[in-house]
Amino acid sequence: MPRARPMTPDDRRQALVEATIPLLHEHGRSVTTKQIADAAGVAEGTIFRVFDSKDDLVTAAVEQALDMEPFFADLESIDLDQDLRARLIDLCTHLQDRFRGIFLLMTAMGMVGPPKAHRHIEDGRRRAEKVMVAVVEADSDRLTCTPVQLVHMLRMLTFSGTHPHISDGHILTPVEIVGTLLDGVLKKDS
């Protein structure tokens, strides 16, 4: 059987980063290079052929985990032909997935905020807001607020309803969040 073509250093770096992210969720900074090597299916020394140190690998993994590009792709995949409620539920679902991943990583890593090296956070927030506003703009004439305000409220409710400490462990579902936002909490006959 012929041997598989060896990976390029960039491919090897990427494979190691991808193997490290779930381990960071589980072990935080205490993850070992042996655990990483086992998860990646390589010898431990392979890590140090493409990374100068475990810290460099961990930093690269955190950066990738915080990368907003996959989140933008999720937002841009929302079917705009759905009704407003369905589009908001999709938005909320993607926001919750993003927030959960960040909360889990930050807790495991003992982080109280994004790393200083993660400099484009505000640009990413603005870009995400633009995409989310575009998802609801078609219904702007039906809203009692602007699409920007609706997106802001959705983001805040989703953040607080997803954060395990803010929500006291009672995580809200996307249907509950969107229902509260669109319908309130009063019964129809009240």
Side-chain angles (χ1 to χ4, degrees):
M1 177 179 257
R3 286 185 62 183
R5 195 184 87 216
M7 290 179 128
T8 67
D10 286 342
D11 290 342
R12 176 66 65 206
R13 284 176 63 86
Q14 185 59 34
L16 287 165
V17 164
E18 288 175 12
T20 301
I21 293 171
L23 294 171
L24 292 178
H25 286 135
E26 185 178 345
H27 303 285
R29 291 194 182 281
S30 66
V31 66
T32 66
T33 53
K34 176 158 180 24
Q35 289 170 317
I36 295 168
D38 289 347
V42 299
E44 202 169 348
T46 302
I47 294 170
F48 301 105
R49 285 199 271 288
V50 290
F51 287 98
D52 290 335
S53 67
K54 179 184 116 176
D55 285 343
D56 287 345
L57 171 53
V58 167
T59 298
V62 168
E63 284 294 315
Q64 182 164 314
L66 295 177
D67 180 20
M68 292 188 76
E69 288 304 321
F71 177 59
F72 297 141
D74 287 341
L75 294 179
E76 290 166 351
S77 74
I78 293 172
D79 181 359
L80 300 181
D81 291 331
Q82 299 177 93
D83 67 16
L84 177 63
R85 184 175 304 271
R87 282 180 276 138
L88 286 172
I89 289 171
D90 281 355
L91 276 175
C92 186
T93 299
H94 292 308
L95 279 167
Q96 273 197 324
D97 290 346
R98 174 81 179 161
F99 289 148
R100 272 193 198 105
I102 290 171
F103 297 153
L104 182 61
L105 179 66
M106 290 178 67
T107 299
M109 297 292 292
M111 299 164 61
V112 294
K116 289 179 178 39
H118 201 68
R119 5 177 228 292
H120 304 294
I121 289 175
E122 199 51 44
D123 291 342
R125 269 194 208 126
R126 281 193 292 274
R127 181 176 165 196
E129 181 181 279
K130 275 180 83 168
V131 174
M132 289 188 284
V133 166
V135 169
V136 301
E137 262 179 334
D139 288 283
S140 61
D141 60 331
R142 298 176 56 212
L143 303 174
T144 61
C145 61
T146 68
V148 170
Q149 291 168 322
L150 174 61
V151 164
H152 176 76
M153 288 185 277
L154 178 69
R155 196 168 52 84
M156 293 298 100
L157 284 172
T158 305
F159 181 89
S160 59
T162 305
H163 195 287
H165 301 298
I166 296 172
S167 68
D168 295 325
H170 302 287
I171 305 298
L172 299 175
T173 68
V175 170
E176 290 169 327
I177 292 168
V178 171
T180 301
L181 189 60
L182 293 181
D183 306 324
V185 294
L186 289 178
K187 294 179 180 176
K188 297 268 186 240
D189 58 341
S190 296

